[in-house]
Amino acid sequence: MLRKSIVLFAVAIFTAALFALDPGQTELEHNGWFRYTNQSSDFKITDPSVSRFSLERGYLRFSYQWAPPFFTKMTVDIFSSDKYPEGATVRLKEAYADIAMPVVRDFNLTAGLQKHYFGLIYSWDYTHPEKSLADDQGICASADYGLTINGYLPSGLGELQLGVYNGEGYKYAGKYVNLSPELLGNVRLTPFPGIALGVSMFTNAADQIHYKNDKKGRITQSGSTFFMNADTTNKNRFALAPMFKLAFGPVSLLGEYINYNYTRFFSYYKINFDSAGAVIDSTLNEKTKKYSFSGLDLVPTVTLAKRTLEIFGRFSMWDRKEEHDNEMQLNKDKSFVRYGAGFNYHFMRREKGKPGLEFQFAWTRTQPKNTELKPTDVLLAQVRFEWSTIINKPEL
């Protein structure tokens, strides 16, 4: 059991860098998550604020091995959930090419829409059906457009990723992409069997999110050409995430700490009126405000019954601090402690221990640090079904 756990963990964290197919082979994969969600305040599940069925994930993946050094992959997400404004739709999640580097052994260059190698996001295998903490809190997206170098360190010591991304994630493109690229580094070390340690960081000089609040900041002055058009930019963005995983026999513990900071710049035009209330002109106003976020995420798991059953817990905490009167103060309404538990029952697994057909159940309670606010309870019941097949090149 110990050896199997270690091997499976190594497979999970190194999947991104593998060229698993033979030249000419195509792999077709489908991931589907059919979920029921019940959300209520203070565990009033018979009077929920959310009660819905949805298809949270409908990935179709297409991978093709052109030749030993060339690999391409595309993933589309076909989903149906009223959690998203577009409801049922299709999104492009991955579209990239891997090219083996000619000089550096076991390293490859990846170009396109690809995984975002920050914290636990790219290695999060959804043993717990909810997102990793950084993804859940919007620190960064799970995928982005960019160019990365990925590879193994010598003697099986671990892996390394270095990348440059747009910084907006996979949902934005074209005119919504800022002019300041994001730089990212990630390293994972496996000094001993069953122990993985790592750290990742990204920095982004500025994003440009005025497109997100353009309508909120616009105030039309009845028939006048003057208007207030708020513009907001987050600058000096920096995030750091140390992580670890311990896996001994049927027991494992996954954890990470996140620290994220930026300064928000506001600029807007204030409308000036005369004594009769008529518009005279406008004045440009500029302000700044600092934000600091920190969080901890722990996921203990026990695997039983020949890996058919997984029982997991989860503990998370999140602090959001904002600058007021030159002091960083905790925003208790948006800071929280979250905990819960659940289980996964695997009807069937695929090769290398990947999920095949399983039932997942999870309960989480989120308690804001403002104790006057009631906690939120979420119950998830999900059927997760995943399969893949390899199509060989036809013989002529």
Side-chain angles (χ1 to χ4, degrees):
M1 179 62 78
L2 172 60
R3 176 175 294 180
K4 183 176 291 186
S5 299
I6 296 169
V7 170
L8 291 174
F9 177 56
V11 168
I13 64 174
F14 294 147
T15 297
L18 287 175
F19 291 173
L21 304 176
D22 294 328
Q25 285 187 325
T26 301
E27 182 177 24
L28 173 62
E29 183 178 8
H30 175 248
N31 300 171
W33 297 0
F34 179 64
R35 177 182 293 181
Y36 171 72
T37 304
N38 182 297
Q39 178 177 310
S40 63
S41 176
D42 211 10
F43 213 65
K44 295 180 179 177
I45 60 176
T46 57
D47 184 22
S49 57
V50 173
S51 177
R52 65 165 175 252
F53 291 104
S54 58
L55 185 64
E56 294 293 313
R57 174 162 295 180
Y59 283 174
L60 281 177
R61 304 179 189 273
F62 305 90
S63 304
Y64 183 70
Q65 189 75 49
W66 296 78
F70 304 121
F71 171 84
T72 57
K73 186 173 185 179
M74 183 181 74
T75 300
V76 293
D77 187 6
I78 306 170
F79 61 87
S80 176
S81 172
D82 58 8
K83 182 170 67 176
Y84 305 105
E86 59 268 56
T89 190
V90 178
R91 285 180 183 163
L92 184 62
K93 189 64 184 289
E94 291 179 306
Y96 64 83
D98 276 341
I99 304 170
M101 299 185 70
V103 178
V104 185
R105 184 180 178 183
D106 297 329
F107 273 75
N108 60 277
L109 180 68
T110 302
L113 176 58
Q114 57 183 289
K115 293 179 176 64
H116 188 258
Y117 296 94
F118 179 75
L120 292 178
I121 285 181
Y122 82 94
S123 56
W124 190 254
D125 62 1
Y126 290 94
T127 297
H128 191 289
E130 287 283 44
K131 296 179 178 180
S132 70
L133 190 60
D135 197 6
D136 177 61
Q137 293 302 305
I139 303 305
C140 55
S142 57
D144 201 352
Y145 296 84
L147 189 65
T148 61
I149 295 174
N150 313 278
Y152 298 110
L153 299 175
S155 304
L157 183 60
E159 61 173 317
L160 173 69
Q161 285 91 28
L162 300 172
V164 55
Y165 294 87
N166 278 345
E168 276 80 11
Y170 62 97
K171 299 178 184 176
Y172 301 101
K175 65 179 181 180
Y176 300 122
V177 176
N178 74 83
L179 301 178
S180 174
E182 174 192 298
L183 303 177
L184 181 144
N186 175 69
V187 62
R188 297 290 173 88
L189 302 177
T190 52
F192 306 103
I195 298 177
L197 304 171
V199 62
S200 54
M201 56 79 67
F202 74 77
T203 182
N204 187 201
D207 64 12
Q208 193 170 359
I209 59 173
H210 62 272
Y211 50 86
K212 295 180 180 177
N213 61 10
D214 180 67
K215 291 183 179 179
K216 292 171 62 177
R218 184 180 294 271
I219 302 175
T220 302
Q221 300 296 313
S222 59
S224 170
T225 57
F226 292 93
F227 53 84
M228 182 183 294
N229 189 13
D231 189 9
T232 305
T233 303
N234 297 332
K235 293 187 177 181
N236 306 321
R237 298 177 64 213
F238 179 78
L240 183 70
M243 63 75 62
F244 71 91
K245 182 164 184 176
L246 309 175
F248 297 102
V251 180
S252 68
L253 177 63
L254 179 67
E256 72 172 333
Y257 174 78
I258 298 173
N259 184 267
Y260 175 50
N261 301 282
Y262 62 79
T263 300
R264 176 164 293 178
F265 284 67
F266 303 88
S267 65
Y268 62 93
Y269 284 92
K270 183 179 180 182
I271 310 299
N272 301 316
F273 301 90
D274 62 17
S275 57
V279 174
I280 302 174
D281 56 15
S282 59
T283 304
L284 178 64
N285 285 262
E286 295 179 300
K287 295 182 180 180
T288 63
K289 186 175 182 179
K290 294 181 180 178
Y291 291 82
S292 178
F293 306 81
S294 60
L296 176 69
D297 203 11
L298 298 171
V299 181
T301 304
V302 178
T303 304
L304 302 170
K306 298 182 179 179
R307 305 185 67 241
T308 300
L309 180 64
E310 294 168 325
I311 300 173
F312 58 80
R314 189 170 185 182
F315 174 81
S316 311
M317 58 170 292
W318 189 250
D319 284 347
R320 175 187 173 118
K321 293 182 178 179
E322 302 173 4
E323 184 182 22
H324 292 285
D325 300 326
N326 296 320
E327 292 185 359
M328 298 301 292
Q329 299 179 10
L330 182 67
N331 185 330
K332 293 185 178 180
D333 290 358
K334 296 183 179 178
S335 302
F336 61 82
V337 174
R338 179 178 294 164
Y339 52 89
F343 70 89
N344 302 323
Y345 184 83
H346 293 261
F347 297 100
M348 296 187 70
R349 286 183 182 269
R350 292 185 290 159
E351 293 181 352
K352 301 178 182 177
K354 293 181 178 180
L357 177 62
E358 67 176 306
F359 174 78
Q360 297 183 283
F361 177 82
W363 160 73
T364 57
R365 163 165 285 201
T366 302
Q367 174 63 62
K369 292 197 170 179
N370 181 352
T371 55
E372 295 181 356
L373 299 178
K374 293 182 178 179
T376 299
D377 292 284
V378 177
L379 297 172
L380 298 178
Q382 176 170 284
V383 177
R384 176 178 177 177
F385 40 97
E386 302 184 5
W387 58 268
S388 66
T389 187
I390 293 178
I391 303 171
N392 292 314
K393 184 179 181 179
E395 297 183 3
L396 300 177

